[in-house]
Amino acid sequence: MRNYQPLSVPRKTRFYALLLAVPLTFFVIFQQLSYSKSHELYNALLMRTELSENEACKLPNIDPWDETILPFFRKADPLNCKRLQPELTYLTPQGLILFNTTELQTAGYEITSLQCSYRCFGKELGGDDTLQYGSWTELENGTRPECEFVEVDCRKKFPPLSIYTNLHARVIPKKEIVDKNKRLPKRPNVILFVLDSVSEASWRRSLPKTLNVLLEGYKSTVFRGFNKVADNSFPNAVAFLTGKRVMTPGHSSELPDDMSKSYFDDWPLIWNDYTKEGYATFYAEDLIKYNLFYYLSNGFKGKPVNHYFRPFWVRIYETFVYRRSTPMCFGNKPSHLVQMDYLKSLLNVYKEKAPVFALHWLTELGHDWSSQVALGDADIARFFEGLKEVLRESYVFVFSDHGHRFDQIRQTVVGRLEERLPFFSVHVPEGEMERNKELRGILQRNSKVS
């Protein structure tokens, strides 16, 4: 019979084991209590829901100001773009570059003391990061460049130092599209205006002015309980742009998941269908490193749409002006307004000439911090208010891809639910609503889980 000696554990080792065991025990207890509390809160949310009586699909009615998320909510500081330089030039809706005489006088310059020039630039075929530049040409007051994207540079004649650089963008209507639509019946615009990472509840918290314009000015229908289909922006965008699934848990991908060595030119994106039907197509998205079709990929070889804003952003991010700018600004102007002005130009130049399909995606405003999106509320509200007549007979979808995925609000049950429930609204052309009296009721019923 063997004699087993008790295992001798050094006192120091026992001390460290005990030191580790105590906090681990408290952590397990805390997690259990936290889970129990979270489960109780979720059940309480379900009890107060008015969305559904269907036990198979019952979504909670989330209070945007739920007490559990208030500790994580902080009002964003106002966005004040540092004034870097006088705005010596501006672009008119007709495409003329004019000198701003007031700014010149304030800055102490005479036009005759400056030598100003401009050049056109745009996307180069073969990649989404390379630009093609025209030659520098003398800029005169009232010059009309025959290109959508223009770079301006002004220098003192002596010493020949650059004192002003700027970029201007406008949409120039495509003649072939306008001519084609002369033979076609009038059709409605289709506008997809996306704000990244904004839940339905967060929209009510942070974008009340915009929400009011959509509800009162556009009579838009807000879909309560609208759900994302996958984790991040790309699979959610592919779902509504192609009708296909990619990178969706529980489902096989219907398109390639790995596009790191490929381009998206051949993908069945919906704007290709609109192009065939004679629509002017448009795609603009900021934060170019993280664009839908560029992050972990290569983007497009050619221009995917008629009016593609990425080249303008590529040039902006290269400029010394941008590197000196306040975060979320380009020079003296908020970045989101730079892109929204391009969309406004599209809608105005094609008005009464041709229908447009536009995907306008703003990422920077809402992506990194949920309360930050409030900085764009007044501007976005003014944008839609100002275009109400232009968009009256358009399909206008204003929505998000998902709720916030990184903010501290996700430490709460409400925050985790919000992440799955993005904002979604739709405005239907008023003429269509008049012709189809039942449509409003159908929209209202479908805006709730039933």
Side-chain angles (χ1 to χ4, degrees), residues 330-443:
F330 172 55
N332 307 334
K333 192 172 187 177
S335 295
H336 58 272
L337 286 180
V338 172
Q339 184 167 296
M340 287 162 61
D341 283 348
Y342 190 57
L343 176 58
K344 185 187 297 184
S345 175
L346 173 91
L347 294 169
N348 284 325
V349 301
Y350 279 108
K351 183 172 57 178
E352 306 300 332
K353 294 179 180 177
V356 304
F357 171 87
L359 173 60
H360 180 276
W361 194 298
L362 288 172
T363 299
E364 188 176 27
L365 263 178
H367 190 269
D368 293 341
W369 175 40
S370 63
S371 298
Q372 183 174 270
V373 73
L375 298 176
D377 187 27
D379 292 330
I380 298 170
R382 277 193 295 269
F383 173 84
F384 281 109
E385 185 66 42
L387 289 168
K388 194 161 55 176
E389 291 304 315
V390 176
L391 295 174
R392 186 180 298 278
E393 294 303 324
S394 303
Y395 287 93
V396 182
F397 299 87
V398 181
F399 62 106
S400 188
D401 50 347
H402 50 71
H404 218 279
R405 299 171 58 228
F406 308 110
D407 196 271
Q408 287 183 313
I409 192 177
R410 295 196 75 251
Q411 296 179 31
T412 69
V413 173
V414 170
R416 292 194 291 276
L417 287 170
E418 282 195 24
E419 189 263 339
R420 291 159 172 77
L421 298 168
F423 180 83
F424 184 88
S425 72
V426 58
H427 161 78
V428 175
E430 292 187 4
E432 183 63 30
M433 296 293 277
E434 285 296 319
R435 288 188 294 272
N436 189 344
K437 299 294 185 181
E438 297 180 351
L439 186 54
R440 189 173 299 279
I442 294 171
L443 281 171

Side-chain angles (χ1 to χ4, degrees), residues 88 99 103-105 107-117 138-139 153-164:
L88 299 186
F99 289 105
E103 290 281 295
L104 282 165
Q105 291 172 3
Y109 295 119
E110 296 283 344
I111 294 181
T112 54
S113 68
L114 299 177
Q115 187 170 2
C116 296
S117 55
E138 182 181 356
L139 177 64
D153 179 82
C154 289
R155 299 169 180 267
K156 291 181 179 180
K157 289 185 177 179
F158 186 83
L161 299 174
S162 178
I163 54 95
Y164 171 79

Side-chain angles (χ1 to χ4, degrees), residues 56-154:
C57 185
K58 192 171 184 180
L59 295 178
N61 190 8
I62 296 174
D63 178 4
W65 301 101
D66 190 278
E67 61 180 11
T68 62
I69 65 173
L70 293 183
F72 304 102
F73 182 78
R74 181 173 67 83
K75 188 176 181 180
D77 295 330
L79 179 58
N80 296 314
C81 297
K82 179 174 63 178
R83 185 173 172 82
L84 297 178
Q85 60 182 2
E87 295 288 344
L88 299 186
T89 61
Y90 63 96
L91 191 66
T92 71
Q94 295 74 34
L96 304 177
I97 298 180
L98 299 179
F99 289 105
N100 189 327
T101 54
T102 302
E103 290 281 295
L104 282 165
Q105 291 172 3
T106 302
Y109 295 119
E110 296 283 344
I111 294 181
T112 54
S113 68
L114 299 177
Q115 187 170 2
C116 296
S117 55
Y118 75 93
R119 66 175 177 177
C120 295
F121 65 93
K123 175 179 167 58
E124 187 173 70
L125 297 181
D128 242 352
D129 274 339
T130 52
L131 300 179
Q132 190 172 38
Y133 294 94
S135 301
W136 285 104
T137 305
E138 182 181 356
L139 177 64
E140 297 179 351
N141 199 31
T143 294
R144 189 201 302 269
E146 294 303 319
C147 56
E148 296 207 338
F149 304 143
V150 183
E151 182 172 4
V152 174
D153 179 82
C154 289

Side-chain angles (χ1 to χ4, degrees), residues 189-240:
N189 299 323
V190 179
I191 311 300
L192 280 60
F193 191 102
V194 184
L195 275 176
D196 202 290
S197 304
V198 187
S199 70
E200 194 261 341
S202 178
W203 199 290
R204 294 179 184 276
R205 277 195 304 272
S206 301
L207 297 158
K209 294 177 181 177
T210 302
L211 182 61
N212 183 66
V213 172
L214 294 176
L215 293 176
E216 301 300 326
Y218 284 74
K219 306 301 179 187
S220 294
T221 301
V222 175
F223 281 64
R224 307 292 300 275
F226 181 73
N227 212 312
K228 68 175 190 174
V229 299
D231 185 42
N232 59 5
S233 299
F234 180 70
N236 287 293
V238 169
F240 66 76

Side-chain angles (χ1 to χ4, degrees), residues 16 241 363:
Y16 283 123
L241 291 175
T363 299

